Amino acid sequence: MIPLKLAALAAAPFALAGSVALSGPTTLVVDVREGGAEGMHLVIPVPLLVARAAAALVSEDKARIPVAELQRAQPGARALLAELRRLPDVELVRVQQQRGGGLVRIAKRGDALEVRVRQPSENVKVRAKLPLAVVEELLRRAEDGDLDPGDVVAAFGKAPHGTFVEVEDGEDRVKIRLW
Amino acid sequence: MRRSLNSLAARAIIVAGLLFPAGEVRGEDNSWIQREDDPWIHIQVVETGADAANVQVHLPLSMVRLALDMAPDEAILDGHVRIENSDISVAEMRRLWTELKAAGEADFVTVEKAKETVRIGRRGQRLLIRVTDSTAGKEHVAVDVPLAIVDVLLAGDGERLNVAGAIATLGAYRGEVLNVQDGQDRVRIWVDEKSGSE
């Protein structure tokens, strides 16, 4: 019997991980790495539940973001998202500086819109992924004409696990991940 | 011409930006669903100069149509765009276009200035505009547009251009839609069935 209990205990983390993977991310991780020999490395995990609870504490009057235009655009925006989902992985927009190597790219990659910005003259690189599921959830939550910070946090709960923003500024790096 | 080239580049970016505006509804029976062979519109702007940038936009026409539907009524009403601050009214453009088409295949207009010659004419199913540097004898502006697109763009009445109609016409069109060459600067718009820049 004891081995069975041990097996159950051993299996628990995997079962938990599986349920997390199925139900979406639970934690936002901000990873800041400063350049230089004495640069700090900060990793700040923020459970989404805590972020939602904090968002709920903000005064309702101040927190509501009116999105009447978004409400009006709902069906069209949903149709556009459906079209985006159907597209193969493809680069949609590219703006490239002739001199200096500056580059902006917007592409569809998997189930996300990916934006990449590179400015070599300032040693800056930005890479951001906007999961379509997050936009769909925001649209759903904007059906009544406004959004609050809790809606935004909840929408990120629909995102796939992984890095969705990476910024490199010289030797400094910031990564925001969802786990 | 430099101003109009920049304006075209700006419009190319606006088309991309129209992907996520606010606006009107299309019903459940959406006939613009993307198919494997749906046409894509490609816009390429090549600039020269100190701050020059190359711009490429690749979008399925189905998405452009949806974006037009979603644009606010102040910008686009029933697929028609109001032209403001133009030297020529849409009604005048329409009247000129009717007269030019009636003239058949020919150079409709030739304007000779001290330093350049402007020719507007029709070759087959395309409208051609050429500006030649009289001193060097070189073409420095070349505009090349299918007649069918201009026809639809100017269809209707009032001071609005039928952009939705022109986009719909593009769906049946394959090949170059616009080619503006101004010295080393260039704007090209074409339609094919290739996604992205492949």
Side-chain angles (χ1 to χ4, degrees), chain A residues 69-77 79-81 83-84 86-99 113, chain B residues 16 19-23 25 30 32-34 40 47 50 52-58 60 62-63 66 70 72 195-196:
Chain A
E69 283 294 302
L70 194 58
Q71 189 186 23
R72 198 168 70 91
Q74 284 270 345
L80 263 180
L81 283 167
E83 289 287 286
L84 266 174
R86 284 187 194 95
L87 290 187
D89 285 2
V90 64
E91 184 175 274
L92 299 168
V93 178
R94 171 183 283 250
V95 180
Q96 189 159 19
Q97 274 184 325
Q98 297 268 25
R99 293 176 195 169
L113 265 186
Chain B
L19 273 168
F20 307 100
V25 179
N30 191 333
W32 294 337
I33 298 299
Q34 174 79 15
W40 284 63
E47 289 182 324
N54 292 347
V55 178
Q56 289 184 42
V57 178
H58 311 281
S62 53
M63 287 186 71
L66 281 169
M70 289 174 62
S195 58

Side-chain angles (χ1 to χ4, degrees), chain B residues 88-118:
Chain B
I88 180 168
S89 70
V90 176
E92 280 174 303
M93 280 188 221
R94 207 169 276 130
R95 187 179 53 75
L96 266 174
W97 181 240
T98 309
E99 286 175 15
L100 292 177
K101 276 203 307 177
E105 187 154 332
D107 279 346
F108 306 137
V109 180
T110 304
V111 181
E112 290 191 15
K113 296 184 191 168
K115 288 186 177 173
E116 62 183 23
T117 304
V118 181

